Amino acid sequence: MSKPTESTAASFTLHPDFAVGEVHPHLFGSFVEHMGRCVYTGIYEPGHATADEDGLRTDVLDLIRELGVTLVRYPGGNFVSGYNWEDGVGPAESRPRRLEGAWRAVETNQFGLSEFMNFTRKTGVDPMMAVNLGTRGVDAARRLVEYSNHPGGTELSDLRRSHGDEEPFDVRLWCLGNELDGPWQIGHKTAEEYGRLAAETAKAMRLVDPDLRLVACGSSHSSMPTFGSWEETVLDHTFDHVDYISCHAYYQEHDGDVDSFLASAVNMEHFISSVVASSDHIAGKRQSKKKLMISFDEWNVWYQSRQTAEKPEPWSTAPRLIEDNYTVTDAVVVGSLLIALLRHCDRVTAACIAQLVNVIAPIMTEPDGPAWRQTSFYPFADAAKHGRGRVLRVEPNSPSHETAKYGDVDLLHATAVQGEDGTTTVFAVNRSTTDALDLSVDVRNLGDVRVLEHRVLTDTDRHASNTLAAPDRVRPTTVDGSTVTDGRVQAALPPLSWNVIRLGS
């Protein structure tokens, strides 16, 4: 691991006149896919001791509310590219069991559209629906919108009402397919093929409901060989018909290179800036003042290298898939990725940590057993609770160290959010695994403030995690000693730590 250069002191200045923008509530979204145990024995387990009358696990619903999720994307993911939405509506006993090709499992369809919408109502989240542009297209998408959103008096809206949902679902946010640039995707397409299909699908969906907000598929990750050219071609077709372009990114520690892993947000921020440049280039070509937003609707730490060792029985129901156990190191990276999203809140106005339960998730469950919080639960909950409001510009003066993957990287990664309640919250990550950072923040322009709280997530064992046997091994702690002196916050950030410093009068 690299040693920091020179000082272990870092500083920045906060001024309310220098802001990035307002945080959209949908920045704190998540993702429920029919994959592994996310749905079955995750959020939905009839017969569980905590299950409600609809089969939803109330212990999980309580944790979702505590997590602070505002938006949930559904039903995929790779799953959606082979999914017939009609399979998941109507009486549950009449729904077909299908071979599901994306994850080679059997889908029972006992949880479908109505059950998902019921889940969103009970958790207070907004739905984000994805349509199948892999094996299906324009007609299936427009019919789904009619079934979901039209009040009544037509075949499909009346079908919904006959299924017990009298009121329309009123789904506003829709994804036009999923990762169609990826060769792994059922119905993989070239940028030209996808761009044409997405544009025509968008137009048809808006003929049914003009007030939809639509997301075009961007690149599955920034290292795709088609990255950049995919965005340009797709947006040439869809720019006038969509509101967002998507980004997806997952990160993991490779071969013990913890310094590069802790700097993962460098890649995320560059990814965002590159996609913004591509979309603004298309706007410039059109002489358009429209600013396309980014939906970063899949992001997380995911140890994809471990997936190759997993060999669940093919065509089983709800097998255990990619149930990564997250460490303190992983949680600090998740916190840093949240900082990156907040630092770009002027263009990233929707984002979804993937996924919500069991599958690379902040919440874990056991069938017929308990539910618990992973280490990554805590930074997300902190950001969702205290990251509402106006992001102030943060330009740190920080010591740095050399990383194998990203070159010279600041040890301090930080942002600050000014809340409507008059408080200001600093979110900060110390990327050094060996040394504390002495942080000084000039807050003279914020008025007479004091430190209300300094919460830290860290551990002397960077591999510490929460498990079924020890679900509370890692928890945030409140530390003393952080003060405001002569208009400057003085705080010590432990090595390898996620920090939340709340300021107020």
Side-chain angles (χ1 to χ4, degrees):
M1 293 178 286
S2 302
K3 282 283 189 180
T5 60
E6 301 177 1
S7 172
T8 54
S11 63
F12 57 85
T13 298
L14 295 179
H15 197 298
D17 290 346
F18 297 93
V20 177
E22 294 286 334
V23 179
H24 196 291
H26 287 167
L27 198 71
F28 306 109
S30 191
F31 178 31
V32 166
E33 180 173 8
H34 285 254
M35 175 186 182
R37 297 193 310 115
C38 185
V39 173
Y40 305 110
T41 73
I43 63 175
Y44 179 77
E45 189 178 353
H48 189 273
T50 71
D52 65 12
E53 68 280 4
D54 299 312
L56 297 171
R57 286 185 55 157
T58 58
D59 59 342
V60 174
L61 300 189
D62 288 343
L63 287 175
I64 291 169
R65 295 185 198 102
E66 181 186 338
L67 186 62
V69 169
T70 56
L71 174 78
V72 173
R73 180 171 173 248
Y74 176 84
N78 294 354
F79 172 83
V80 79
S81 292
Y83 181 55
N84 299 328
W85 66 264
E86 298 91 343
D87 291 347
V89 301
E93 63 273 13
S94 302
R95 297 178 190 175
R97 292 170 62 90
R98 301 279 192 197
L99 294 183
E100 194 286 291
W103 306 112
R104 291 180 59 78
V106 170
E107 173 55 52
T108 67
N109 286 303
Q110 294 303 288
F111 188 96
L113 180 55
S114 180
E115 290 79 13
F116 172 70
M117 293 307 302
N118 184 41
F119 161 80
T120 67
R121 288 188 291 267
K122 289 187 176 184
T123 51
V125 304
D126 291 332
M128 181 188 204
M129 290 293 298
V131 300
N132 177 356
L133 295 189
T135 58
R136 305 188 79 182
V138 176
D139 190 52
R142 71 185 180 94
R143 287 172 63 83
L144 176 56
V145 174
E146 181 184 334
Y147 180 93
S148 300
N149 286 5
H150 196 68
T154 67
E155 176 202 357
L156 291 171
S157 59
D158 286 345
L159 181 63
R160 180 198 70 244
R161 296 171 70 186
S162 75
H163 290 158
D165 291 296
E166 184 70 23
E167 297 300 318
F169 297 141
D170 195 33
V171 180
R172 294 294 104 205
L173 190 55
W174 296 76
C175 299
L176 300 169
N178 175 76
E179 293 185 356
L180 273 306
D181 63 325
W184 59 85
Q185 199 70 207
I186 299 172
H188 163 60
K189 291 171 174 56
T190 66
E192 186 72 28
E193 291 167 340
Y194 170 73
R196 287 264 299 119
L197 176 59
E200 295 306 315
T201 303
K203 289 189 284 185
M205 291 170 71
R206 282 208 171 116
L207 287 174
V208 179
D209 187 338
D211 297 325
L212 304 182
R213 295 186 64 78
L214 303 177
V215 184
C217 287
S219 292
S220 301
H221 50 83
S222 61
S223 59
M224 289 292 289
T226 54
F227 175 57
S229 62
W230 173 273
E231 279 74 10
E232 182 172 4
T233 301
V234 167
L235 290 178
D236 263 334
H237 288 288
T238 63
F239 184 86
D240 296 327
H241 309 294
V242 300
D243 305 282
Y244 303 81
I245 182 82
S246 73
C247 295
H248 291 179
Y250 295 99
Y251 301 95
Q252 70 175 85
E253 182 178 333
H254 291 279
D255 301 321
D257 183 7
V258 64
D259 290 334
S260 293
F261 180 46
L262 288 165
S264 295
V266 172
N267 174 267
M268 178 183 262
E269 294 205 43
H270 184 262
F271 191 2
I272 293 167
S273 297
S274 299
V275 174
V276 166
S278 294
S279 64
D280 288 351
H281 167 67
I282 300 298
K285 284 172 60 178
R286 282 171 158 70
Q287 298 184 7
S288 170
K289 295 181 180 179
K290 176 179 177 179
K291 279 193 175 181
L292 206 65
M293 295 295 118
I294 289 177
S295 174
F296 217 121
D297 46 47
E298 287 188 37
W299 68 269
N300 205 346
V301 171
W302 175 12
Y303 286 87
Q304 297 185 54
S305 58
R306 298 174 186 167
Q307 186 179 352
T308 56
E310 295 180 347
K311 296 187 183 298
E313 188 69 27
W315 312 126
S316 56
T317 301
R320 292 180 185 266
L321 283 177
I322 61 171
E323 297 189 7
D324 285 0
N325 179 227
Y326 290 126
T327 66
V328 169
T329 308
D330 300 325
V332 171
V333 171
V334 166
S336 187
L337 298 175
L338 284 159
I339 288 170
L341 294 171
L342 287 166
R343 286 171 59 89
H344 293 270
C345 72
D346 57 328
R347 297 302 287 269
V348 181
T349 55
C352 302
I353 190 170
Q355 294 184 21
L356 184 54
V357 184
N358 288 329
V359 178
I360 52 171
I363 298 170
M364 295 298 295
T365 72
E366 275 297 311
D368 297 317
W372 67 95
R373 306 165 190 83
Q374 292 237 56
T375 59
S376 59
F377 183 100
Y378 296 107
F380 189 98
D382 285 337
K385 183 176 182 180
H386 300 298
R388 311 293 184 91
R390 190 163 160 265
V391 175
L392 302 181
R393 284 188 59 185
V394 170
E395 300 296 338
N397 178 16
S398 170
S400 62
H401 64 180
E402 189 70 19
T403 67
K405 198 167 186 179
Y406 303 113
D408 196 52
V409 172
D410 283 350
L411 294 178
L412 174 68
H413 192 214
T415 191
V417 181
Q418 196 170 40
E420 294 179 357
D421 60 358
T423 63
T424 298
T425 302
V426 172
F427 300 105
V429 160
N430 179 2
R431 290 169 168 150
S432 173
T433 58
T434 55
D435 297 313
L437 269 179
D438 294 323
L439 177 63
S440 175
V441 184
D442 187 335
V443 293
R444 287 174 291 180
N445 292 296
L446 299 184
D448 186 16
V449 298
R450 61 186 178 90
V451 175
L452 303 177
E453 181 185 35
H454 180 180
R455 277 164 50 91
V456 178
L457 185 71
T458 189
D459 200 279
T460 53
D461 177 6
R462 77 175 189 90
H463 299 292
S465 65
N466 293 338
T467 63
L468 174 62
D472 295 314
R473 166 68 178 82
V474 177
R475 295 180 67 90
T477 57
T478 300
V479 298
D480 298 323
S482 299
T483 62
V484 177
T485 305
D486 297 328
R488 292 180 181 275
V489 176
Q490 306 293 339
L493 312 185
L496 191 70
S497 62
W498 160 257
N499 298 263
V500 182
I501 304 171
R502 295 180 57 238
L503 309 171
S505 56

